[in-house]
Amino acid sequence: MKELYIEFAKKFGIAVAIFAIVFVALAIGEHCLGKQLMTWSSPAFVIGFVASIIGVAYVLTVSNPKNYLGFYGGIVMATLLAVQFWLNKQFDLVVLYLAVFIPFLTRSIVVWKRGMQKRKKEKGRRIEENELEPAWLSKKALLITILIAVAILVADYALCTRVIYKDMWTDRMLIKLLGAGQICSSALAHYWLIHKKTDAWIWWVIYSVVGIVFYAILPEPNIFLVVLSIVFLIVNGSALIAWIKITPRHV
């Protein structure tokens, strides 16, 4: 157990170092472009910056499928992001993080912690230590996941069109699709990570790529969030590669 805490502390240190580099790079960018990229006067920005550091530590930690401590960081991250979205009046995302993502993260702690135990009685049966090792989705589960992804995309697109933007179906089509893609991919990534499915990291990579494009094509591109999405793409991509290496090919 002590080793898990030490690993989490190291990953948090790496996350802080990464964002120190990001801060320096953006500060240089501000000087060269003569444009403000970081708004420290905004409470929402400060909260989001701190949440991002914790988020990277969370991802780096759970890239080890035996260390569930990262999910505690994930819960802190999700709570801070909910506050950020509240300040930005993005109430739909507040509900998403509080009502969906935090319960998913909490469930991950329970399932991963149980999976670490050598043997444990539950509902009249015994669970072996390797029962919850990383595995790929079955073809049936993958198909169902893709169908759910399409359903989420359609539902969110309709919500944005009729409730949030109140515009025509063809207005801001790409922006609405990319926004829906971020919600869809992050929801599926959170869910499948509970069950230690390697596919979860593919959804996290998709989330990062979509984020880069989304924040770059906004009417007022958000350079900070583009850079942040690139950071998460690298981190999530590294976690995906690490999990692929340890996932049995026959599963």
Side-chain angles (χ1 to χ4, degrees):
M1 189 65 181
K2 180 180 178 180
E3 292 77 10
L4 299 183
Y5 283 105
I6 293 174
E7 182 183 21
F8 179 75
K10 289 181 178 179
K11 299 301 184 183
F12 186 81
I14 293 173
V16 172
I18 289 173
F19 274 86
I21 296 172
V22 170
F23 172 78
V24 171
L26 290 173
I28 294 173
E30 286 184 334
H31 177 73
C32 295
L33 298 174
K35 180 180 179 181
Q36 186 177 31
L37 302 178
M38 298 179 289
T39 54
W40 296 104
S41 59
S42 168
F45 176 83
V46 175
I47 291 172
F49 194 88
V50 174
S52 299
I53 296 174
I54 298 173
V56 168
Y58 148 58
V59 174
L60 289 173
T61 303
V62 299
S63 63
N64 173 6
K66 296 185 182 299
N67 197 340
Y68 63 89
L69 294 178
F71 289 112
Y72 289 105
I75 292 173
V76 175
M77 174 200 70
T79 303
L80 289 174
L81 289 176
V83 174
Q84 180 192 37
F85 293 135
W86 178 274
L87 293 174
N88 289 333
K89 301 186 185 305
Q90 296 173 284
F91 301 118
D92 55 332
L93 293 179
V94 174
V95 174
L96 181 68
Y97 273 76
L98 294 181
V100 179
F101 290 166
I102 289 181
F104 280 178
L105 290 163
T106 303
R107 179 60 181 166
S108 295
I109 293 172
V110 174
V111 174
W112 282 39
K113 189 174 182 179
R114 184 185 66 191
M116 285 182 58
Q117 298 175 0
K118 188 172 182 179
R119 297 179 70 88
K120 178 180 179 181
K121 290 184 177 180
E122 179 176 311
K123 296 182 180 179
R125 68 187 184 93
R126 290 186 179 274
I127 298 176
E128 297 295 337
E129 183 178 11
N130 63 354
E131 181 176 337
L132 293 173
E133 289 298 310
W136 292 104
L137 289 174
S138 65
K139 291 182 180 179
K140 180 179 179 181
L142 178 59
L143 177 59
I144 293 174
T145 300
I146 293 173
L147 292 176
I148 291 174
V150 173
I152 294 175
L153 283 172
V154 172
D156 189 77
Y157 190 91
L159 176 66
C160 288
T161 300
R162 291 304 186 187
V163 179
I164 298 176
Y165 293 118
K166 297 181 180 179
D167 56 12
M168 302 295 292
W169 289 102
T170 55
D171 292 339
R172 288 181 273 202
M173 182 180 292
L174 184 56
I175 288 178
K176 288 185 288 189
L177 281 174
L178 290 172
Q182 280 197 299
I183 292 174
C184 168
S185 56
S186 58
L188 292 172
H190 274 103
Y191 178 77
W192 284 122
L193 205 53
I194 296 174
H195 305 286
K196 289 194 176 181
K197 298 301 182 181
T198 305
D199 307 70
W201 293 107
I202 296 177
W203 288 106
W204 276 129
V205 169
I206 292 173
Y207 170 82
S208 302
V209 173
V210 170
I212 293 171
V213 179
F214 177 76
Y215 294 117
I217 68 167
L218 289 174
E220 295 184 11
N222 192 319
I223 303 301
F224 170 75
L225 292 179
V226 170
V227 173
L228 182 61
S229 296
I230 292 173
V231 170
F232 273 101
L233 174 60
I234 295 171
V235 174
N236 290 328
S238 299
L240 171 61
I241 293 172
W243 275 47
I244 288 175
K245 290 180 178 179
I246 61 176
T247 301
R249 297 183 180 277
H250 64 278
V251 177

